[in-house]
Amino acid sequence: MTIGFCGTHGVGKTTLADMVNEEFDCMFNRNMSYQRILNDIGLPINDKADILTQAGVLANYYIDLFRYRRDEVLLTDRTIIDALAYTFNSDSISDDNKNILYSYYAKAIPMYDILFYIPIEFGLVKDDVRQEDEQYRLNIDNEIQRLLKISNVKYYTVSGSIEERLEYTTKIICVERYNE
C-alpha cells in the first residue's frame, strides 16, 4: 500500500507523516531532505527551480513508487503531485518540458493507494529552504487542488488540529487496509 501526503509547503505534511509512521511502522520516505540536498548543492528550488531540478525531484518520487515491495506500506510526506505543482509554477520551465513531466506524472499517480491532501490552515514556519512568499504558497496550493481534480484520483482532505488530523488519517488507513 502506498500512502502519500500532498499539500503546499508548511502545511504539516512531514509532521503528520511522522506521527502516522509511528502508528503503523511504515517504510517512510522523508522527501523534504531531498529538497534540502538540492539546495545545499546549489540547484535552484521553489520558484527558481529549473528543468534539471524538477526532473530530478519527479524522478526521485517516481523511483520511490517503484522500489518498494507491494506487501509493505510506503509512506511519503510529499508526492509526485507536489512536485508537479511546483513545476507548473516555475516560469523557467518551458511548456513543452512541463508537458513531458506531466506525462510521467499521469503514469505514476494511480500508484498511490491513499492520497491525503492537506490545505493551508496555519501560518508558515520559516526556514532556510521554504519559499516565504504567501502568494506563491497559495498558488502552489491551488495547483495541487487543480491536479487532484483533473487526475480523477480518490483523495482525502485532512484538516483540524494535529490530533484531529492523526485521528482522521489513522481511521482512513485502517479502513483502506481492511478493504484491500
Side-chain angles (χ1 to χ4, degrees), residues 10-179:
V11 294
K13 296 180 301 291
T14 302
T15 301
L16 184 55
D18 277 332
M19 295 173 76
V20 169
N21 185 48
E22 287 180 27
E23 290 282 323
F24 293 98
D25 191 29
C26 306
M27 188 171 103
F28 180 35
N29 286 343
R30 187 176 280 109
N31 285 308
M32 185 58 187
S33 59
Y34 188 68
Q35 277 83 359
R36 289 185 194 280
I37 291 168
L38 293 173
N39 189 49
D40 289 348
I41 63 173
L43 287 175
I45 61 171
N46 298 325
D47 60 328
K48 307 286 189 269
D50 60 16
I51 186 63
L52 178 62
T53 302
Q54 288 310 107
V57 169
L58 283 162
N60 182 61
Y61 295 168
Y62 213 80
I63 289 166
D64 284 347
L65 291 171
F66 282 99
R67 72 177 179 169
Y68 88 102
R69 294 190 337 254
R70 292 303 287 178
D71 60 337
E72 296 175 319
V73 177
L74 173 66
L75 176 69
T76 64
D77 61 343
R78 280 155 188 75
T79 67
I80 204 161
I81 296 167
D82 303 77
L84 197 63
Y86 284 89
T87 299
F88 281 9
N89 272 278
S90 174
D91 293 333
S92 64
I93 301 175
S94 72
D95 287 343
D96 286 344
N97 283 331
K98 288 176 183 179
N99 289 334
I100 290 168
L101 294 177
Y102 182 82
S103 70
Y104 285 100
Y105 161 85
K107 292 175 187 171
I109 195 66
M111 296 178 72
Y112 291 97
D113 297 300
I114 304 174
L115 282 169
F116 291 108
Y117 161 67
I118 305 176
I120 298 172
E121 292 184 294
F122 309 106
L124 181 63
V125 175
K126 297 177 182 182
D127 63 13
D128 60 340
V129 177
R130 294 179 183 135
Q131 168 60 263
E132 296 177 8
D133 180 350
E134 285 295 332
Q135 185 58 53
Y136 179 73
R137 187 176 182 221
L138 185 59
N139 291 346
I140 298 297
D141 184 65
N142 289 336
E143 186 62 30
I144 288 169
Q145 290 180 59
R146 186 186 77 79
L147 288 167
L148 285 167
K149 286 178 184 148
I150 68 167
S151 299
N152 198 30
V153 295
K154 181 178 174 183
Y155 67 93
Y156 300 91
T157 300
V158 181
S159 62
S161 69
I162 191 64
E163 294 81 14
E164 291 168 326
R165 291 175 177 196
L166 179 61
E167 181 181 341
Y168 179 70
T169 55
T170 300
K171 178 182 168 188
I172 296 299
I173 293 167
C174 288
V175 168
E176 292 286 341
R177 286 179 84 180
Y178 179 78
N179 289 331

